[in-house]
Structures are given as C-alpha cells and as structure tokens.
Amino acid sequence: MRDVRGDVVRRQLHADHGCNVHRVRSICGYLIQGETTAEAIAARVDDLFADPIIEHGAANTLFLSTDLFDQTPDMVVTVGFKPGVTDNPGKAATDGYLTLFPEDTEAKISTYTTYAFYGAGDLDPTWLAGTLHNGLIERALVADQAACQAGAWPALDYPTPPEQVFIQPKTIDLECDDETLERISTEGLLALNLEEMHAIQAHYRDEEIRALRTTHNISPDAPTDVELECLAQTWSEHCKHKIFASRIHHVDHETGEDTVIDSLFKTHIMTPTHDMQKDVDWLLSVFHDNSGVIAWDDTWSVCMKAETHNSPSALDPYGGAMTGIVGVNRDILGTGLGARPIANTDVFCFGPPNWEGTLPDNLFHPSRVLRGVHAGVRVGGNESGIPTVNGAIVFDDRYIGKPLVYCGTVGIMPRHLPDGRPSHIKTPVAGDIVYMVGGRVGYDGIHGATFSSLELTEESPSSAVQIGDPITQKKMVDMILEARDEGLISCITDNGAGGLSSSIGEMAEYTNGCEIDLATVPLKQAGLSPWEILVSESQERMTVAVRPADQTAFEALANLHEVEATPVATFTSTGMFHVRYGEETVAYLPIDFLHDGVPQLQLESEWTPPQQRPFVTPNEADHNELLSSMLQRPNIASKETWVRQYDHEVIAQTAIKPFVGVERDGPGDAGVIAPLHGDPHGLVISCGIAPRYSDIDAGAMAAAAIDEAVRNAVCVGLDVDKMAGLDNFCWPDPIESVKTPDGRFKLAQLVRANRELERVCRAYRLPCVSGKDSMKNDYGSGKDKISIPPTLLFSLFGDHPDVRKSATSDFKEAGDRIYLVGHSQQELGASELSFMMRERNPANGIGGNVPLLLNPEQNLATYRQLSTTIHQGWVKTAHDCSEGGLAVALAEMCIGGRIGAKVDIDGTGDGDLWARLWGESLGRIVVAVKPEHESDFLATMKGHPTTILGEVTPSSALEMVDGETTLISSDINVLADAWKGTLDMTGGVA
Amino acid sequence: MMPRVAVLFGFGINCDHETKAVFELVGAEAQRIHVNRFISGDTNLADFDILAVPGGFSFGDHLGSGRLLGNRMRFAMRDALRDFVDAGKPIIGICNGFQVLVKTGLLPGPDAGHSPDFVQRGSLGLNDSGRYEDRWVTLEFDPNSPCIWTKGMTRMTCPVRHGEGKYIMPTPQALEALSTTHQLTVRYVDPSTSVGEGLSDTVLPYPMSPNGSMRNVAGICDATGLVFGLMPHPEANYARWLHPDHTRGTAPASEGNALDSWEGEGLQMFRNAVEYVKQNR
C-alpha cells in the first residue's frame, strides 16, 4: 500500500530543496490522556484510529521497532504541537473517542506525526526537522542515523500546558510623567501613543467620573488593567483606523498645494458612497456593519467583506492564513442578523518563490510562506464548504518582509426574515441576553489587535498566532443560520480583533450599555485573568443577542448542533460598558468615551515624486524569447496548481470557474456564481491589484487596481450599473518617526491613492461599501528595514443578469474575429517587462509613464457597451489585458482554447511597438466574435475604441505582426508549458 | 405523494443545500435533517423514502475521511439504517457521503441476500497525488450494474473535489467479486474513448484518474443496487451553466428538461431514484 503522506514529504523536499530522498514513511500518533485502559483502547484501535483496510494500528507502540519497519531508517523526525496550540485532529479524535468510550468524559487526545526517512543519509536531521515544523507552534524530535541504529526512537509526551496563575484585577496608576506613560503603553503592548495616554489620564481626573466610579465600588482615580486593555483594544489602529481618520497636513511639492484633510476615510471613501446612495435603491447597508450589503433581487441581498491577516501569516503562514479566511467568514455571518457565506476570494502578495538572496532573521523563505498560507486558506475554505471563486498571487521582493494575505467572503441572506424583519438591520434592545457562541476563550490570541498595529520584530509574541478550527465554526454557522430563520437573533457580531471587549462593546452602542460577567465565560484552560478573558481573540466565536423569551429555543438549537452557547452579558441603557468578574466590578467605562474618546491623530504628508531610473527599451529584441520569459514570470505564470486545490464549486453555483478553456487551464478573469439553485441570475466577483505602480505613483496604483477589477468583471458579463467595491489598503507605516524617516512621503502616497480612489469610483458609479486597512507592513528598522510597496486590493461584486450569457478568455473557434477594445498608450513605466529587463541588467530602470486612467467616464461607457454585447450572446470570448500587455493576453487566450491566432497590432494606439505589445495601458480588453455576430458587435461598439486585431486560426501558432514586421511566432503548446511550469512546485505525482 | 428525501447535514457536511435542491428539481420533497435529529429520535428515518449523505468535510476528515461521522451512524443509527435498507429504500452517498457509507460498512456491504452488517470491507485512501483537487472528470457506468441510481446512464462529466478518493479493496479476490456482481458501478474513463468503451481495469494516468483508484473506480453500489456511493459530484452538474464548456457551447445536453434545454447531465441520477420510489412503493 502506498504511503501518500510520506510521498508528499519526499516530493516537496525535491521540489523546494533539490533533495533526493529514496523513500519516506509516515506514522500518525495519538497521545491519550484518560481513564480507559490501554487494553480497552487496543481492542478498538481499528474502530477509530486506524483504517482496518489500509492501515496498521496498535496501542502503546512507536511501531518503528516492529516488523512493519523491517528496514532501519536513516533518520526519524516526530512533529507534534506545543502545549496550548489548537490541535484540530486531536479535537476530532477526542470527539470520536467519546463515541467509543462515553464514560471517559475528561479524556484528551493530542496528535503527532512521525516520518521515517530512507536514503537520506547525507541530510542534516536538524535541518530536516526544521523544514517539517514551525518552532513557534510545534515541537520536533529527531533520531539521527546512530540513534536509528540503536533503536532510540523519538517519543513525544502529552503537551500539558503549564499551570496558569490567576492574576487578581489590579489598577494602574497614571498619575505619572510622560515617559512613564509611554513605558506603560510599550511594556504592556498597548500600542497607545502619548496623546492617547493623556486622554485616558484626563478621563480618570474627571470629578464626575470619579464620583460615579466610587458609587460602583471601582478604583475612582485610576484605570483597572481590564479598562486599560479594553481601551487599548478599542482604540487600536486595527479597530479604529486612526490613520484613515487622522487630520493630515498635506504638501505637494509638484503642484505647490498646501492643504489639510480631515479624515481620508470620510472625505474620499464614505462621502462618495453616501452621495451615490442617494441615486440608487440597492445600497442597503454601507460601512457600519461587518460587511457592506446590497440588494441583489427583490428577495435576496448579498454582502461582501475582505480582510488581511499579514502579521500572523508572517509568523505562522498556515495558522495565520487559516484564521484569516475563517475570520472573514464570520464577518459575513455577523452581518445584519446573519448572512450565509457563499464564496471566498484570496489574494496573496509574497516574495519571489525562487528567491536565492539572503533572508533577514526570523523570516521564512517565500516558497515556505506560499505553501503555508495556501494550505491554511485551502483547509479553512474547503472544510467550511465555501468555494474559492476568485483571487490572485502577486510577487515582489519587498513582500519578503511582510507577506500580504487578503481573504474575502461573499454572503447572501433573505432580505426579510420569516418574521418580517429586514435582515440587514440589527434590532437589539436593553434587556437582551448576550451569548458567546462557538469556541472557548484561551491564551491563544491575546493582543492580536494591538500586535497587528505594531511592526514585526524578533520579540513578536507567539500568542498572537492561532490556528483556526473550521469544523467548530461550520457547526456554529449551521446553528446560527437556523436560529436566524427561527427569528431568535436580535443582534449578532463576530469576535475578531479585541475579542469580547470589541464585539460586545460595539453592539452595546445600539442600546447604549451592557453588563458583562467575565466569570461566566467558558475557558479552554483555567487561570485566565479578567482582562485576558475580555480581550482574548480566540477563534470561532460569535456574540449573539437573544430576547429573554427566546433563550430556551436558542439553547436547544445549540445543543442539537453540539455548539457551546453561554450567556455572558446583558444589554442595558445605562450608558456604561460595565464589566464584572463575579460580583466585583472590574471595568466601568462610559460607552461614548470607549468609542469616541480617542483623540484624532495629526499627521504630516509631503509629496515629491520618486525618482526612478528610466526604462529604456532595447534597440533589438527577440520577442519570441521575451514572450516565453514573460509567461514564466511568477507574476504572470499560471497559478493553477495552487488554485485547483481550492474547492471552487461547492454549493453548485460556480458558472465561471478560476480556470477555463478546453483543458480548463486558461485564466478566468472573474468568478461568476448563480447562487439560487435552478435560477441563472448571477453575481460577478473580481479583483484588481497593481502594487508596483506605487514605485512611480501610488495614485496611479489605486486607479489601476480599480480599473482592473472592473475590467475583469466586464470580461465575464458584469452589469456595470450595479456593482460595489471593497477597498483594502496595505501600507508601510506612514507616520513620520525615528524608525520611519520617510513617513511623510508614505503618507502622501496614501493621500494620492485615496484621491484617485474617489475620482475613479465616482466616475464608475462604483460605491465602496466596506473596506479595511493594515498600516504597519514593515520589517526591521534602519538600513535593514523592508517596507512593502503601498498596495490597494480592490475587490468588486456586481450583478450578472444571466450566467448563460457569459464570456471567458479562451479562444473558441477558428475564424472568430479578434478585436482590441481600448487604446494602447506609451506607458511602460513599472510594467512587468520593465522589471524583467531590470533583473536582467541592473543598469536598466523601471521609470517612465505609468498607466493612467485619464477619462474614466469614457471607459465606463465603453464597458457598458461591451457588457451589452456579452448579454446579447454575441461575444463569448473576452480577456483583460494587464500584466505583460497584449502579447501575454493573446498567449493566454490561445492557451485556453489550444488554438492559434494571427494578429496585427498596427493601429492599436499611440505607443511604439514595445508599448503596444507589452504595455499595460488601462481600459483594454481583447474580444473575439463569431463572424455572424461581427456586425452587431461593431454596431453596438460604435463610437468606442474598437480595433480589429486579426482572427483565430486553425493552427497551433500565435503570430503577431506590426504591419509588415513579424514580432512573434510561437507554438501554443510551447507557450503553455512555459506558462504552467514556474509555479507548479509539486514535484509531480510519482 | 411526492417521495420524501432526507438530506443529512451537520458536523461539516457542506453539500446539503445543493443536494436538497437537485432532489426538488426532479420532483421530490427534500429536507435537510441534522444527524443528531435522527440520533435523538426527534426525527424518524423510516418516515423518509430516500436518504442522501452529501459531500463535505465531516469532522474535518480527521482520522480518515468519513470515519467519525461513520462511527456515529454505525453506533447510533444502526437499527434505523438496517431497517431502511431492508425496506428497499435507496441511499446515496456523494464524496464525503460515500466515504461515510464505506466506513459504516454499508458499501460495498455484505453478499446478496444479507442485511447490512456494518462491517467495513473497502476503503478510500489519500489520492496518489497527495493533493486535494477540484477538477472535472469523465465517468462511465457499468450498464449491467444492479444500481437503481444509474439506470440507463452511460457517460457523464462532473467534478471531483477530494483528497481521499482512491478506492481500495483489501484483496484482488474481493475486488474481482465486486466486479463480477457489477457493483463497480461507475469509473473514471479516458474522455477520448467512445461511449460504452471507456471502462478499463488498468489504472489510468493522472489526472484522468484523479486519485489512482483500483480499476479506476469512482463509485460502487451494494448487492441490492439500492445503496450507492461515488466520489464525483453529480449534483454539481445539475445545470449546463455549471459545466466548464458552457461558454464554448459544448456543455453536454441532458435528455431531461427540468431546466428546459439547460438541464445538466447529473440530474438524471437523482431522477432515477425518485422514479424508482414512485414505482416501487
């Protein structure tokens, strides 16, 4: 019988490190703590731990000395979890164990895996163990060759967490000098600046507050640790978006502008959307809830949210990314009175997977980050039963310092519940009982929100890393959606950053008060002190408010689904955030101070255009070679190996999948789903991202991202009159300081990006309905500091009238006529080609004209006409033209259709042949039309830039000419191999 | 009265909504029922005509896919399941549901003439590739199979979405016995072969066989032909607009007309069972 687990390790060692190990065998181990005898367990091994047909199972053996391992391995590595780390197989095993041994109620199981290596004599066992585990969350034991010969096998003990000492709530004296205030913040990982500490200090000097506190028997003139932690969470950059809310003094040295911006968010994101809300009736809920909600038809609404999980993914790519995806799923579940997550999107930014340079301390190699993040998102999404329908992977050296892991989720809900309430409006009243539902609270995830607001250093705490538990969450989702439909929920939100402190605190704004008893909160492990219980971000938890009359029904549903639901608080109208631990009041904060007390940041912004050495195109070039090389670039190469491991069609709704065409390996431009079974009414989901344009202008970067998201969606048949967007900004720290001397410039980049966001979204009638920002994406300091390129991910969801009338990128039939919609300009600055040429010759630059969106109103009009031709069924082939320009777009279309094309790029725009062939000008889409629909197509596109390129040919060659000059003549199969090879990274299936 | 279908859910099953939908499209009344409702006695399995165990990741596939949910059913629903099969009522397990039915011992089940004995006789192991993958495959049916779910079906396309779909029997004899009784109902085939000539005992190369199953087995039935399980997802091809080739105009048509000309090939399997119930009760 084949040992596939072992094979996977063997292939990966080969793919990532070039190691040729002869054979790897695996053993799954279960460490059981309980009352049942080993004999009793041994008798049931085949009922639970081992498959009687394909595995061997036994109790109380390491197996390696048995005759199952007749050959002595060269090396053995055993990997298990550290104490307290989420062990999902262990949890499942415990559940299964209780089915067999229901009496042994306190039993616990921890899992490990042992790998035995053969033909690996020249490998260093410690290095090998390092590739197989992450020391932050796992432990590994090794037996080297001598130990193997001696039969000294590694054996792990049950990972018992150390006893935790309960710390009594205490007060913190803030009557001290500024230096001490700052030290309290730094040492407590509070991430509060001096001005914020002053605001807190002032609160406790207020005589009215002191009097009020005295009557409630809590320290009158100093915060408790619970209060200080609670304020730190609620006021964190992560929760309050202080940079986007700041007052910015902006100076532009290019134009001489000197101005003040009072909140980028309100000015450039919220106001435009609210203006658009006056013109349409389908914007149901924007900004204030966990996701933005739009009406999709008369009966259903849809919502979407995207988040980032960058810092945790840098420390533990697998766990960090998994909590990212299951976390954003909960944002959907916590929208309105509960929406059902129906589609995921994943966009990652990594260092180059083939990086051969040095790595700073404590950072993983990009290929390991890619594998880990991918695995986390794969397991999180697949096990949750939510299809991943769209995404992207972007590579740049600077993401070695901090990978970006964007996870998005689309949800659906009936517009009205069976009891008549609109589902997008929360309806809590004072007196409602607040339940914590799902997982328990533990040490994992303390300080996540404040941690993500600090930059990553060697001292970054491992408690900030968690591993998600998709099955616990899936049970909770099932249960909550039933509770919603039975009308049992009056208010619901996710427990994410800031834990109960944020979730209950935010919901308490509705009724103006709450009273929490932390002693009632179920814990993973005894000994947590009150502040830890309040702010812990342990996963898989929702906070749900229920009317007292519905408590019995709610708890019965929780029982049925085997979901833990515990009343922990009551909504009040006292105006206070009141927290008790048993009878003792441990926090007593006015709701308005908690939510509105944070002082506005005052920041400085200064724009001088960055100087880039110009990109000069060579005089002579072999464009065939360039095309092959461009297709192999990680930014362009096929991501199919990775994407195919996501379930992209569970729920039976995905009408346009991530890969399309004859061999299902051509690129899909956007995801299309038809979520109501039997009904072809669809929803388009797309994204755009162009971080490298920030090297020239972050404003152009933002415009390019938005246009790309719209173009991608138009390519499949979006109705441009009903689309909504999400803005997710990931920035390096833009606050000027000793550590960030160029803070003013980075803030100016943010200003420019926001201004372009507003300009383009207004022109496109594209409201942003939700968004998020992550503002500390740097590693290290001084000359070793790595800052990511300012990156905006723009996600889009919009209406598709009928998925049967969609287009895909693959060429369909010989004779189909190929057109370019849009114009190519002389815009090669920061193009993928320029980066490739710079890598080939460092004397080359990437500077020059970056693609600009000069007339978005015209683009929208063109897109609307093109969508019409798709909805009419005339156009079945359309593909976005972006990285790598027209040459790459056409190559991808030929690969998808496994058919050739003959194309003339003469007349496609004002640029030189380099710009027309490789340039990335915005607003361009390549289309193919059957000859019988050509006249209808052209009539509809009349007045919009539409240029004939050529036609699909009954051949296997892509031929591109510029008038009389032949530029490219390449075999499609060769191009396909080039495109598919780079990121395969599987090591094959042998 | 319309045949009543119980679509199981809970603990990580995740294809329950679409499985309910496809039964409704072919004229059944389908309900999603949480596993614990049967276990607690709150709902009686005998009140239903068909049981569907949909795909998903019950208990995260830990300790082997389908194992933990299979155990719950094997120990807590034993009598109800045996009575259901003995009453001649159809059961289908898709993907994780198939894994569950194999681990409970309902598939391939005992020899003809015996009631279910809940002894595991086969298994589903990790794909040879070591990877979970979502990809479309071509399937062909054994025309002589006693399976009531696949009557009249010859070939269809639909996706596989699994990491543990390699079908294994412990001995060549046991596998041959299933072949002889035509219980190897559906298998992966090379799409370039002619319809009716695709079945092969030699393992096809990846990805035509996505997992390396013995004899390319994609699904099997029990000796009665009532209990059927398969790794691929027929419900995911209920409509032609879900087929990867629909924008190319080459998504295969179905004879059924539940969605006018847009019915997908997968729906017939569910229609077969619903029609069987109508004719046999």
Side-chain angles (χ1 to χ4, degrees):
Chain A
M1 212 66 76
R2 187 168 180 159
D3 186 337
V4 175
R5 266 185 208 89
D7 283 349
V8 168
V9 170
R10 177 176 53 79
R11 285 185 209 129
Q12 211 155 298
L13 282 169
H14 179 71
D16 286 2
H17 307 288
C19 304
N20 286 308
V21 176
H22 174 61
R23 187 178 178 204
V24 182
R25 295 182 63 183
S26 66
I27 302 166
C28 299
Y30 301 88
L31 299 165
I32 304 170
Q33 258 189 352
E35 303 294 321
T36 311
T37 63
E39 294 72 37
I41 293 171
R44 307 299 296 272
V45 163
D46 281 351
D47 274 331
L48 180 62
F49 297 105
D51 185 303
I53 309 296
I54 55 179
E55 293 172 325
H56 294 282
N60 276 352
T61 171
L62 295 175
F63 265 124
L64 288 157
S65 295
T66 67
D67 55 7
L68 284 174
F69 287 77
D70 47 353
Q71 249 186 308
T72 306
D74 297 325
M75 221 167 275
V76 171
V77 180
T78 292
V79 178
F81 291 101
K82 281 186 162 176
V85 174
T86 302
D87 177 356
N88 288 323
K91 197 185 277 187
T94 308
D95 190 292
Y97 181 89
L98 286 172
T99 305
L100 299 183
F101 305 105
E103 313 295 310
D104 201 353
T105 51
E106 296 301 307
K108 282 182 184 153
I109 300 178
S110 169
T111 60
Y112 68 84
T113 311
T114 297
Y115 301 98
F117 295 84
Y118 300 86
D122 50 345
L123 295 182
D124 172 10
T126 311
W127 173 85
L128 187 59
T131 66
L132 292 169
H133 84 294
N134 177 358
L136 206 55
I137 52 161
E138 291 165 318
R139 49 207 179 122
L141 294 177
V142 298
D144 60 13
Q145 215 153 4
C148 288
Q149 292 296 338
W153 308 120
L156 289 168
D157 299 330
Y158 188 91
T160 307
E163 288 280 317
Q164 292 297 340
V165 184
F166 180 85
I167 304 163
Q168 289 296 335
K170 56 175 191 260
T171 57
I172 291 112
D173 184 7
L174 296 186
E175 292 304 326
C176 51
D177 58 25
D178 287 355
E179 205 180 313
T180 315
L181 283 180
E182 284 185 313
R183 199 177 64 233
I184 290 170
S185 173
T186 312
E187 288 178 358
L189 283 175
L190 301 177
L192 292 166
N193 67 24
L194 185 59
E195 208 186 333
E196 290 155 0
M197 290 300 283
H198 280 155
I200 296 172
Q201 188 184 46
H203 177 75
Y204 290 92
R205 287 174 176 172
D206 184 324
E207 287 305 329
E208 277 183 42
I209 294 293
R210 288 185 174 183
L212 192 62
R213 293 174 67 82
T214 307
T215 63
H216 281 84
N217 217 6
I218 184 168
S219 68
D221 53 3
T224 63
D225 53 358
V226 178
E227 290 175 322
L228 200 52
E229 289 285 348
C230 177
L231 285 166
Q233 298 298 325
T234 311
W235 291 8
S236 67
E237 174 59 41
H238 190 98
C239 295
K240 269 280 176 275
H241 310 287
K242 290 183 285 197
I243 293 170
F244 264 79
S246 69
R247 190 176 172 83
I248 296 174
H249 175 220
H250 177 68
V251 175
D252 186 331
H253 292 297
E254 225 177 354
T255 62
E257 182 190 3
D258 186 323
T259 185
V260 168
I261 303 159
D262 184 10
S263 173
L264 288 171
F265 172 67
K266 284 192 182 139
T267 310
H268 297 301
I269 300 173
M270 196 169 86
T271 305
T273 295
H274 283 158
D275 288 347
M276 286 181 239
Q277 206 167 13
K278 292 170 196 149
D279 299 335
V280 297
D281 60 359
W282 43 266
L283 282 172
L284 296 181
S285 169
V286 292
F287 302 124
H288 71 272
D289 205 339
N290 289 309
S291 70
V293 187
I294 68 172
W296 184 54
D297 65 14
D298 291 342
T299 317
W300 296 90
S301 57
V302 290
C303 54
M304 188 172 180
K305 170 75 165 208
E307 288 265 11
T308 51
H309 235 222
N310 308 335
S311 297
S313 301
L315 293 173
D316 174 21
Y318 176 76
M322 197 207 286
T323 49
I325 190 69
V326 296
V328 74
N329 293 163
R330 286 197 305 278
D331 278 319
I332 296 305
L333 188 62
T335 295
L337 294 169
R340 178 177 169 224
I342 54 167
N344 284 337
T345 62
D346 307 300
V347 176
F348 308 140
C349 303
F350 297 132
N354 50 356
W355 177 252
E356 289 176 357
T358 52
L359 283 177
D361 292 344
N362 298 324
L363 293 181
F364 289 119
H365 189 276
S367 67
R368 182 158 176 180
V369 178
L370 165 57
R371 282 194 195 285
V373 166
H374 171 264
V377 164
R378 181 191 73 221
V379 170
N382 291 0
E383 293 192 7
S384 301
I386 302 166
T388 297
V389 300
N390 187 244
I393 310 180
V394 176
F395 298 95
D396 183 277
D397 296 357
R398 289 161 285 182
Y399 294 119
I400 290 173
K402 184 80 78 93
L404 303 186
V405 177
Y406 293 96
C407 297
T409 303
V410 177
I412 191 166
M413 55 184 168
R415 289 180 62 177
H416 290 89
L417 297 185
D419 61 18
R421 284 181 296 162
S423 63
H424 65 279
I425 297 171
K426 299 185 199 290
T427 54
V429 294
D432 284 358
I433 310 298
V434 183
Y435 281 81
M436 189 179 93
V437 180
R440 294 183 154 214
V441 173
Y443 275 97
D444 50 335
I446 288 173
H447 275 155
T450 47
F451 163 71
S452 76
S453 305
L454 300 163
E455 72 272 26
L456 195 61
T457 68
E458 289 171 32
E459 287 80 35
S460 299
S462 61
S463 66
V465 173
Q466 308 183 60
I467 298 176
D469 174 3
I471 296 304
T472 293
Q473 179 151 317
K474 173 68 176 153
K475 291 194 290 184
M476 176 175 76
V477 173
D478 287 347
M479 178 245 160
I480 281 177
L481 293 176
E482 280 200 31
R484 176 199 72 185
D485 290 342
E486 290 182 22
L488 304 177
I489 294 175
S490 73
C491 194
I492 180 169
T493 199
D494 159 41
N495 273 285
L500 290 173
S501 150
S502 294
S503 68
I504 302 182
E506 283 166 20
M507 295 203 315
E509 275 194 289
Y510 286 97
T511 66
N512 197 29
C514 65
E515 191 171 336
I516 307 173
D517 183 357
L518 295 175
T520 60
V521 174
L523 306 178
K524 288 183 183 174
Q525 183 193 0
L528 264 72
S529 51
W531 74 263
E532 292 171 317
I533 298 172
L534 189 63
V535 304
S536 166
E537 296 167 10
S538 288
Q539 296 290 303
E540 290 84 39
R541 292 181 298 147
M542 298 298 289
T543 297
V544 182
V546 175
R547 304 255 189 277
D550 294 329
Q551 278 185 274
T552 312
F554 187 77
E555 289 179 14
L557 258 188
N559 257 335
L560 172 79
H561 288 262
E562 299 183 23
V563 171
E564 194 160 6
T566 314
V568 298
T570 308
F571 282 140
T572 65
S573 53
T574 59
M576 299 304 288
F577 182 75
H578 183 180
V579 185
R580 290 183 288 109
Y581 187 83
E583 291 305 306
E584 184 187 359
T585 291
V586 292
Y588 199 69
L589 292 166
I591 293 276
D592 52 0
F593 178 65
L594 182 63
H595 289 294
D596 304 321
V598 61
Q600 190 181 29
L601 284 178
Q602 314 280 330
L603 300 177
E604 292 292 326
S605 159
E606 221 174 298
W607 173 254
T608 313
Q611 297 301 311
Q612 293 285 358
R613 197 176 311 165
F615 168 47
V616 182
T617 52
N619 293 328
E620 300 240 328
D622 175 354
H623 289 283
N624 280 316
E625 182 276 324
L626 287 177
L627 179 57
S628 171
S629 299
M630 286 287 278
L631 290 171
Q632 294 174 59
R633 303 274 299 164
N635 276 327
I636 289 173
S638 170
K639 282 85 184 170
E640 187 190 353
T641 302
W642 304 95
V643 174
R644 201 158 284 298
Q645 295 180 58
Y646 302 133
D647 188 333
H648 50 257
E649 47 196 332
V650 59
I651 310 182
Q653 58 178 4
T654 311
I656 302 294
K657 305 175 209 300
F659 283 87
V660 301
V662 195
E663 305 280 338
R664 334 286 196 223
D665 60 359
D669 287 281
V672 177
I673 59 174
L676 303 182
H677 295 119
D679 184 345
H681 183 195
L683 187 71
V684 181
I685 298 142
S686 69
C687 69
I689 188 166
R692 283 174 159 181
Y693 294 175
S694 289
D695 287 351
I696 294 174
D697 179 6
M701 178 279 293
I706 301 165
D707 187 53
E708 185 183 17
V710 175
R711 282 193 324 265
N712 276 328
V714 166
C715 283
V716 296
L718 169 76
D719 172 2
V720 294
D721 293 317
K722 191 170 184 181
M723 55 180 176
L726 310 181
D727 55 289
N728 281 80
F729 288 84
C730 283
W731 233 253
D733 187 357
I735 300 178
E736 186 181 31
S737 69
V738 178
K739 281 183 297 186
T740 311
D742 56 350
R744 291 180 183 217
F745 170 69
K746 286 168 174 169
L747 190 61
Q749 290 183 304
L750 188 65
V751 169
R752 293 177 73 83
N754 273 276
R755 288 178 167 179
E756 278 296 274
L757 177 84
E758 173 176 2
R759 182 180 72 91
V760 175
C761 284
R762 280 189 187 274
Y764 281 175
R765 312 299 299 156
L766 170 54
C768 291
V769 296
S770 181
K772 210 74 195 260
D773 53 273
S774 164
M775 306 301 290
K776 308 271 170 171
N777 293 292
D778 309 273
Y779 171 88
S781 59
K783 67 176 171 50
D784 298 326
K785 180 166 177 165
I786 306 175
S787 291
I788 64 152
T791 307
L792 170 68
L793 168 68
F794 198 86
S795 310
L796 181 149
F797 63 125
D799 196 44
H800 192 308
D802 184 344
V803 303
R804 296 172 297 185
K805 304 285 176 59
S806 297
T808 47
S809 72
D810 49 306
F811 281 137
K812 306 294 186 298
E813 259 188 304
D816 290 358
R817 309 274 286 161
I818 306 170
Y819 282 86
L820 176 68
V821 174
H823 273 306
S824 303
Q825 312 287 339
Q826 190 64 36
E827 294 175 321
L828 284 163
S831 62
E832 188 64 27
L833 181 74
S834 72
F835 276 90
M836 182 170 84
M837 297 309 245
R838 187 171 73 173
E839 281 168 33
R840 289 181 175 190
N841 178 3
N844 278 330
I846 55 106
N849 295 336
V850 71
L852 294 179
L853 201 56
L854 295 175
N855 190 353
E857 290 81 3
Q858 169 62 50
N859 287 24
L860 180 66
T862 303
Y863 295 158
R864 186 179 285 114
Q865 292 311 103
L866 182 56
S867 282
T868 304
T869 67
I870 295 173
H871 298 158
Q872 291 294 331
W874 301 327
V875 169
K876 287 288 183 190
T877 304
H879 189 29
D880 169 42
C881 192
S882 54
E883 291 95 336
L886 195 54
V888 165
L890 284 163
E892 289 174 341
M893 297 173 86
C894 289
I895 292 169
R898 285 296 192 283
I899 194 165
K902 193 165 181 356
V903 161
D904 184 352
I905 65 168
D906 190 20
T908 51
D910 306 325
D912 63 16
L913 82 84
W914 286 87
R916 282 176 286 127
L917 193 57
W918 302 107
E920 299 172 6
S921 293
L922 305 177
R924 296 178 306 159
I925 293 171
V926 182
V927 168
V929 196
K930 292 213 177 309
E932 62 261 39
H933 297 311
E934 197 174 13
S935 59
D936 287 329
F937 168 73
L938 288 174
T940 308
M941 296 308 293
K942 192 162 192 286
H944 298 273
T946 307
T947 314
I948 181 77
L949 287 172
E951 63 180 45
V952 180
T953 54
S955 74
S956 66
L958 169 62
E959 292 181 63
M960 294 182 73
V961 301
D962 183 21
E964 300 298 308
T965 317
T966 295
L967 301 172
I968 284 171
S969 176
S970 291
D971 184 83
I972 300 308
N973 296 306
V974 174
L975 294 178
D977 288 346
W979 190 60
K980 295 175 75 170
T982 306
L983 294 177
D984 180 59
M985 291 168 68
T986 57
V989 294
Chain B
M1 200 176 74
M2 289 200 282
R4 296 187 65 198
V5 184
V7 177
L8 216 56
F9 86 108
F11 302 116
I13 288 175
N14 61 34
C15 299
D16 40 320
H17 287 275
E18 61 264 40
T19 305
K20 172 179 186 281
V22 290
F23 278 109
E24 287 171 342
L25 281 170
V26 294
E29 179 199 323
Q31 273 178 276
R32 293 164 59 242
I33 311 276
H34 195 281
V35 181
N36 278 352
R37 289 202 190 273
F38 286 129
I39 290 175
S40 70
D42 170 79
T43 305
N44 190 352
L45 184 59
D47 293 340
F48 293 88
D49 303 303
I50 295 173
L51 172 65
V53 190
F57 273 90
S58 57
F59 294 96
D61 274 1
H62 300 302
L63 288 87
S65 54
R67 158 78 44 176
L68 295 173
L69 183 57
N71 271 358
R72 288 224 182 184
M73 292 169 64
R74 187 155 65 109
F75 296 124
M77 292 175 64
R78 200 181 184 92
D79 295 342
L81 285 168
R82 188 179 47 226
D83 294 347
F84 198 83
V85 174
D86 285 347
K89 294 179 176 179
I91 300 179
I92 190 168
I94 301 168
C95 195
N96 193 224
F98 178 33
Q99 294 161 337
V100 167
L101 296 183
V102 168
K103 306 294 170 82
T104 58
L106 284 170
L107 284 174
D111 292 341
H114 296 82
S115 282
D117 55 6
F118 300 94
V119 173
Q120 182 181 339
R121 292 181 171 82
S123 197
L124 289 147
L126 292 166
N127 297 349
D128 278 352
S129 70
R131 295 194 294 281
Y132 173 103
E133 285 194 334
D134 176 343
R135 61 167 72 247
W136 282 60
V137 292
T138 304
L139 303 172
E140 200 162 293
F141 299 90
D142 179 346
N144 300 313
S145 175
C147 183
I148 66 104
W149 293 86
T150 60
K151 281 279 175 276
M153 297 179 74
T154 50
R155 186 174 274 206
M156 71 175 287
T157 52
C158 69
V160 286
R161 310 194 304 253
H162 63 247
E164 291 182 49
K166 178 181 176 177
Y167 189 75
I168 294 163
M169 287 298 283
T171 63
Q173 297 78 7
L175 184 64
E176 182 55 31
L178 288 185
S179 172
T180 309
T181 49
H182 299 281
Q183 286 175 254
L184 305 179
T185 307
V186 55
R187 301 202 250 168
Y188 306 106
V189 295
D190 178 346
S192 68
T193 55
S194 331
V195 176
E197 289 171 13
L199 297 176
S200 163
D201 287 351
T202 312
V203 177
L204 292 168
Y206 167 89
M208 267 188 262
S209 162
N211 47 36
S213 275
M214 290 178 170
R215 299 196 189 185
N216 307 304
V217 167
I220 60 171
C221 66
D222 74 347
T224 68
L226 291 163
V227 186
F228 173 55
L230 75 171
M231 288 311 300
H233 287 270
E235 82 286 3
N237 186 11
Y238 84 83
R240 285 173 58 221
W241 63 70
L242 301 177
H243 197 284
D245 290 337
H246 79 89
T247 62
R248 303 184 64 82
T250 52
S254 164
E255 284 173 23
N257 59 358
L259 298 162
D260 302 323
S261 64
W262 282 86
E263 180 177 322
E265 294 169 293
L267 217 45
Q268 185 58 34
M269 195 175 278
F270 305 96
R271 185 181 284 120
N272 277 340
V274 169
E275 293 304 319
Y276 176 87
V277 168
K278 283 183 185 167
Q279 284 157 22
N280 288 276
R281 77 175 164 202

